[in-house]
Structure formats: C-alpha cells, structure tokens
Amino acid sequence: MRVTEYFDIAIVGAGFAGMDMLRKSREMGLSAVVFERGKDVGGTWYWNRYPGARCDVPSMEYSFQFSDELQQEWEWSEKYATQPEILQYAQYVAKRFDLKRDIRFDTIVLSMHYEETESAWLVTPSQGPAVRARFVVTAMGCLSSTNRPRFTNDELFRGEVYHTGEWPHSGVDFVGKRVAVIGTGSSGIQTIPMIAQEAKHLTVFQRTPAYTVPAHNGPLSPQYVQSVKANYADFRAKNMKTRAAIGGDTPTGTRGATEVSNTELNEILEARWAKGGLLFLGGFNDAMINGASNERIAQWVRNKIGSIVTDKKIAVRLQPHTVIGCKRLVVDSGYYETFNRDNVELVDIGLTKIDRFTKNGLVANTKEFEFDIIVLATGFDAMTGSLLRTDIRGRGGQRLADAWSAGPVNYLGLTVHGFPNLFTITGPGSPSVLTNMIVSIEHHVEWIARCIHYIRERKALSVEATREAQNQWVEHVNAIAGMTLFPNCNSWYLGDNVPGKPRVFMPLPGFPDYVQRCTAVESENYRGFAFSN
Ligand code: N01
C-alpha cells in the first residue's frame, strides 16, 4: 500500500482521551493525527444525547486538570453536568487548544497493522489515505460500542427504534406517544423519568432491577465553586487519593457495615442518601468486600425503595436482590418516583425475556404491547468492544481478537505483549470505569508521554510488554478482583451482557495503588518492557 503520510503518533478517538493525547503529543513536539468516527469531538458525550443524560461524577471533578487556566475559566452550572454542557466543554477545550486541525472526523479506523520492518503501524481509515505512525494510541472509550441485542422479528416493527448510545442529533419527540424502554441500567434509569413526562404512556421492560441512589442535583453555589477554584490543586490531589479518584472531601467510613448498630447504620446511610451520588457505598469500608455488610446496605436500600414507590407490588419488583455495587451503582433524578405516575407501567422480563417484536410493538410474557417508539437502553460491549471491532494486528500478523479470545490480557492495562508501540488509554486491566474517567485518562496520557520520551531518549524504535510481565499483571488483576464482591453478579464489567463474550472482570479496582505500580515500573526503567533498536 502506498503511504504518503507519516506521523509520530496516530490516535484513535477524539473524546476526552484522544483530545488530551493530541494536546500532549504537540507539547512534546511530536507529529500526531487523530481519527474520529463522529462529526465532532466529545466521544461518549457526542453520542449519548438521550433525554436525561448527565454525568454521575460531580462537575467540579469531571474536567481536565492539566491546565489551571482552563479549570479556572470554565464554569459548570450544576452539581452534575448535563450531556449538552459536557459536550460544550469538550468543544471549548478543542477550540482553546486548537485541536481540530489534527482531527479527521467522520472517519473510522478500519485496521491497524504493525509492520516489523518499519517498526511502525500502518493505519487504514474508512476515508482518506492510510498513514504510517511509530506509535498508536487507542482512545476509543470504554463504553462506545453499543450492545444492540437482536430480538426475534425485530425487523417487523414499523415504529421508531433508538439506542440511547446512538441518539439522533435532532432529538426525539415523545409527546403523546406510546413508548417502550428496554433496559434499566444507568442510561435507562436516567431517561425513563424524562420520557415519562412527555409520553402518553411509557412501558419499562426490566430484566434485572438495578440499585440507584438519588443525585439531588441542583445549581452549583458560587461560594462552593469559588472555594474549589481557590484550591483546585489540593482538591484534585485529595480526589486522586481515593479508590475511585472521586470525592476526596467525603472520606470513606472507617468501620464495616456489620460492626454498627441498626441505629448507626440507618444514620450513616440516611446521611449518604441525603447527600446523594456514587459515594453512597463509601459509608462503610467493606461494602464491596464483605457479603454480610453488603447485604445490610442492600436491605436498607430495598426498604428505601419500598418507602418511595406507593404501589407495594411494584416496589417489590423494583427491589434488587443482587449484591449492591456489583453492577455499577446508578445515580438518578426521580427514578423510583416515576413509577408512581399513572402513565408508567413496569413489565418484568427477567425470566421469560421478550418473546418477539411485531409490526406494532412487541410480545413479552405472551402479552402483546403496541408502541410508537421503542428505546433500547441495552448498554455497551464494554471495554474491549471498540478495540476488537477494529482489525488490529501486531507482530507476525497476530490479531488482537485472537490474543484476547479468552478475555483481555495486557500489562498495566496500557500495553499488550506482541503489539509493540501500541498504548490503550483506560484499557482493561486498569482502573478506568471504576474511577472518574478524566482522572484516569490524564494519568494514562502523562504515563504514555513519558514512556515515549524515554524510548526516544534511548533511541529505541519500539517498546513491548514482555510475556512474563503481562502474565503477572493478569494474575494481579484477577487476584484483586477476586478479593471483592464484583464477580458475584452478571455485569458488563464481566462481559456478561454480551452473548459469547468471555467472562473476565475487566477493570482493576483501586486507583492509588495502580498509580503507584505504574510509577514504580517507570522508575525501574520500565520494568517488564523490552525495547528494540
Ligand atoms: O447499560 P447497562 P447502560 N433484553 O449495561 C438490559 C455508563 N453510563 O447504558 O441487567 C432485555 O448498565 C440490562 O439487563 P440486565 C455507566 O458506567 C454512565 O445503562 O443485563 N434487557 C440492563 O438493564 C453504566 O454502568 C452514565 O439483566 C436487556 C440494561 O439493558 C454504563 O454506562 C449514564 C437486554 C443495560 O444496562 C452502561 O449503562 C449512562 C436484552 N437482550 C451510562 N440486554 C452516567 O451517569 C441488556 N438488557 C455517567
């Protein structure tokens, strides 16, 4: 293939990870190109435009910290930012740092093949010329390949069908419509209260009830914003010391949930519920490692659901009986209250599944329902989906899909044996989705940048994780996951939501320990990596 363009770095994706990697590459004086399948920057916030979409990490934390000027000048309006506001932020960053001139939009990377003779990657996009790059960095997002389950006869339905993760930019008019939402994860739970306000009738198809805690969203007070901005560096540093790199001002409890009386348990959980958000589970120090503690918290939440939902039979069906936090905890605005509305109906499909689609709707539990619009809130082929949908081949033509056929294996969640000069931002095997993603992204970008600098200083042509280091890392990730309750349910963390996907716990719990390990590897001259000249 004739290649006319050469870059130091090719970056795949122009969400926050790709944007930051581009900015950093330029700062290092490297030539870089970014390929982005959307028509604009923003990644997940470009695609997930469903009504109610917002971030479950507080706005003051969910932003870049590489530039103090940037974090001082940007103004968030609410405690939890909406999707439009986060997208505006992404566009603002792109403009401020003049990023778009190196981004090729509307362009999917079809393949990336490592050429051993060149010690470089041949990157073939869906349009425009193929390029050669010394390094490739995947910034494809952990939740960017939608999971669109096939239902029997789904081609027959004559109404409109939308997936929350590929929402039309023109918006969807629900007024006066009969609407179905299939799926009750974060996306479904965020959008259900919004759709219920517009639709004539909303039917929620629930396979497994989820635990959700209130956001208690609202405008940010100028005093609070001022206090954070006055000490932004300290605020960030405190957050980065927590397990999820979120909420350094709300320390985790020092006791286990089985060590306290009922009254204390109630007080602690009531206070966390009143505060709202993901830190609800941090009231105790053992929620995700002690089954008995977890069950006490779970029962408290079940009681809470019972106190919000007025129809007791519906309340019971909304009460999960799985480990709380095992699937990602959801943060909502008025979800349980929505089931008190007359125009909202809950249908359990847990045991029977959806039988089939029809031209006017669908059949579930042998009953036919008619709809104008069906919303699929059925999630994503998480963490590995986008990587494995791309034809990535390393040394000897080895396909990443083959190397990962039994589940993802890598070193530090950043590099894969057999795939030199390839870096995966927030890859499986790193804390990624268990953290504030922007913090994890910036950590990876800085680490990758220093690694590339080291390679260039050494005048090496390539860097590659050794098989031994990779094996040890995989063991480490499995050992940490095995100490937690995370493997005790069916979740997208484990790939359970995608038929045929190997069952492997993909993210690594514990941000501070992970950072320390990455730093140690670096300070020992990149222990576990082989360099070639
Ligand atoms: O996807 P999910 P999501 N038939 O996989 C059901 C992030 N996020 O898009 O639980 C019927 O969680 C499935 O049922 P079950 C966040 O990290 C963040 O909601 O597998 N139902 C489940 O109820 C989140 O965790 C925000 O039994 C089917 C639902 O669909 C992640 O994205 C907002 C089905 C899918 O839930 C994914 O969330 C939104 C089928 N064949 C998302 N297949 C923020 O707040 C699946 N389901 C930042």
Side-chain angles (χ1 to χ4, degrees):
M1 179 173 300
R2 213 170 83 83
V3 177
T4 50
E5 290 188 288
Y6 298 82
F7 294 93
D8 295 317
I9 302 190
I11 300 162
V12 191
F16 286 125
M19 289 164 70
D20 194 26
M21 194 69 235
L22 172 59
R23 173 201 67 80
K24 189 71 194 177
S25 305
R26 283 197 196 150
E27 189 183 291
M28 295 168 69
L30 303 176
S31 59
V33 62
V34 182
F35 297 98
E36 165 56 51
R37 82 185 151 110
K39 292 186 192 320
D40 204 342
V41 296
T44 200
W45 303 107
Y46 173 87
W47 297 102
N48 288 265
R49 296 169 183 243
Y50 58 86
R54 61 172 79 237
C55 190
D56 56 6
V57 173
S59 313
M60 294 305 290
E61 301 182 35
Y62 194 76
S63 56
F64 285 122
Q65 52 186 303
F66 65 76
S67 156
D68 192 47
E69 293 79 24
L70 173 66
Q71 62 184 5
Q72 291 297 334
E73 67 202 24
W74 181 259
E75 298 286 343
W76 295 108
S77 63
E78 290 176 81
K79 179 175 162 193
Y80 294 102
T82 58
Q83 172 271 331
E85 194 169 35
I86 303 172
L87 190 57
Q88 272 170 27
Y89 172 72
Q91 286 160 348
Y92 178 82
V93 174
K95 193 160 181 212
R96 195 185 190 289
F97 296 93
D98 189 21
L99 298 178
K100 289 193 186 177
R101 67 183 154 88
D102 289 322
I103 305 175
R104 297 183 186 177
F105 291 105
D106 232 343
T107 305
I108 296 167
V109 168
L110 302 176
S111 67
M112 305 197 294
H113 293 173
Y114 187 66
E115 300 176 317
E116 288 173 64
T117 48
E118 304 279 336
S119 296
W121 285 83
L122 179 66
V123 180
T124 307
S126 55
Q127 59 168 332
V131 306
R132 196 167 270 140
R134 172 78 63 220
F135 301 99
V136 287
V137 179
T138 62
M140 292 168 159
C142 297
L143 295 156
S144 47
S145 283
T146 52
N147 174 36
R148 282 187 92 108
R150 291 306 307 265
F151 297 100
T152 307
N153 294 345
D154 53 10
E155 73 288 351
L156 292 184
F157 180 59
R158 288 186 310 200
E160 300 159 51
V161 180
Y162 303 104
H163 191 290
T164 47
E166 290 164 355
W167 203 256
H169 289 201
S170 49
V172 178
D173 182 8
F174 291 104
V175 176
K177 303 278 175 61
R178 300 161 302 168
V179 183
V181 172
I182 301 176
T184 54
S186 298
S187 305
I189 285 175
Q190 285 188 334
T191 206
I192 283 164
M194 303 297 288
I195 297 175
Q197 288 170 30
E198 282 194 10
K200 181 169 158 208
H201 192 269
L202 170 64
T203 310
V204 175
F205 291 92
Q206 168 183 267
R207 190 162 72 175
T208 318
Y211 292 97
T212 167
V213 296
H216 298 308
N217 191 38
L220 277 167
S221 84
Q223 294 80 355
Y224 175 69
V225 172
Q226 187 42 43
S227 70
V228 171
K229 287 191 172 178
N231 294 296
Y232 229 140
D234 292 350
F235 179 79
R236 301 286 196 184
K238 265 200 261 171
N239 294 338
M240 288 178 72
K241 288 197 184 106
T242 72
R243 285 183 68 71
I246 301 173
D249 284 335
T250 311
T252 302
T254 52
R255 289 175 297 171
T258 49
E259 292 166 17
V260 297
S261 67
N262 284 341
T263 313
E264 281 177 298
L265 181 100
N266 192 46
E267 274 170 18
I268 291 168
L269 292 180
E270 200 62 72
R272 293 260 165 177
W273 189 270
K275 189 171 166 70
L278 288 173
L279 299 181
F280 174 76
L281 281 180
F284 299 98
N285 63 12
D286 63 350
M288 287 313 296
I289 52 172
N290 179 335
S293 289
N294 188 286
E295 175 51 24
R296 272 195 101 189
I297 301 167
Q299 184 53 44
W300 189 92
V301 176
R302 287 194 279 272
N303 293 345
K304 203 66 170 169
I305 298 168
S307 73
I308 300 170
V309 180
T310 45
D311 182 322
K312 293 305 154 210
K313 285 194 187 137
I314 296 176
V316 167
R317 286 159 53 206
L318 287 168
Q319 288 166 339
H321 286 273
T322 45
V323 167
I324 184 168
C326 184
K327 287 185 191 218
R328 186 182 171 98
L329 193 63
V330 184
V331 178
D332 74 275
S333 293
Y335 177 66
Y336 293 125
E337 290 83 348
T338 299
F339 291 91
N340 295 335
R341 295 175 65 105
D342 290 338
N343 69 334
V344 176
E345 177 184 3
L346 179 69
V347 177
D348 286 302
I349 50 165
L351 297 175
T352 52
K353 304 192 177 148
I354 286 170
D355 302 335
R356 64 180 190 280
F357 275 36
T358 64
K359 71 181 187 244
N360 295 320
L362 60 82
V363 177
N365 305 331
T366 68
K367 184 178 166 196
E368 178 149 16
F369 297 82
E370 294 197 350
F371 298 114
D372 303 303
I373 301 173
I374 295 177
V375 174
L376 301 175
T378 46
F380 301 89
D381 181 354
M383 306 209 67
T384 55
S386 296
L387 285 164
L388 296 182
R389 286 179 198 186
T390 311
D391 175 15
I392 301 178
R393 299 188 198 188
R395 258 190 308 106
Q398 189 192 14
R399 284 156 38 94
L400 187 66
D402 292 333
W404 286 10
S405 59
V409 287
N410 62 21
Y411 183 37
L412 302 178
L414 272 161
T415 58
V416 188
H417 174 69
F419 296 79
N421 293 359
L422 166 78
F423 297 96
T424 53
I425 297 181
T426 62
S430 76
S432 57
V433 291
L434 298 177
T435 66
N436 175 350
M437 285 301 287
I438 300 196
V439 171
S440 280
I441 284 168
E442 288 196 278
H443 171 251
H444 270 183
V445 166
E446 296 298 324
W447 194 95
I448 292 166
R450 289 192 300 274
C451 183
I452 291 176
H453 179 73
Y454 181 85
I455 296 164
R456 290 165 68 90
E457 289 275 288
R458 278 185 61 141
K459 308 229 178 311
L461 289 177
S462 71
V463 62
E464 182 183 343
T466 65
R467 189 183 291 283
E468 192 193 6
Q470 174 164 292
N471 289 345
Q472 283 171 4
W473 188 255
V474 172
E475 266 177 42
H476 169 68
V477 175
N478 290 340
I480 298 284
M483 287 182 224
T484 71
L485 300 173
F486 281 115
N488 293 25
C489 68
N490 294 331
S491 71
W492 59 258
Y493 293 141
L494 286 148
D496 290 309
N497 62 331
V498 177
K501 193 163 171 173
R503 193 170 198 274
V504 174
F505 189 77
M506 293 179 283
L508 170 67
F511 183 73
D513 181 68
Y514 172 75
V515 170
Q516 254 178 30
R517 284 170 193 270
C518 291
T519 308
V521 166
E522 189 181 336
S523 60
E524 292 166 42
N525 296 323
Y526 294 89
R527 167 171 45 83
F529 287 98
F531 294 87
S532 78
N533 289 87

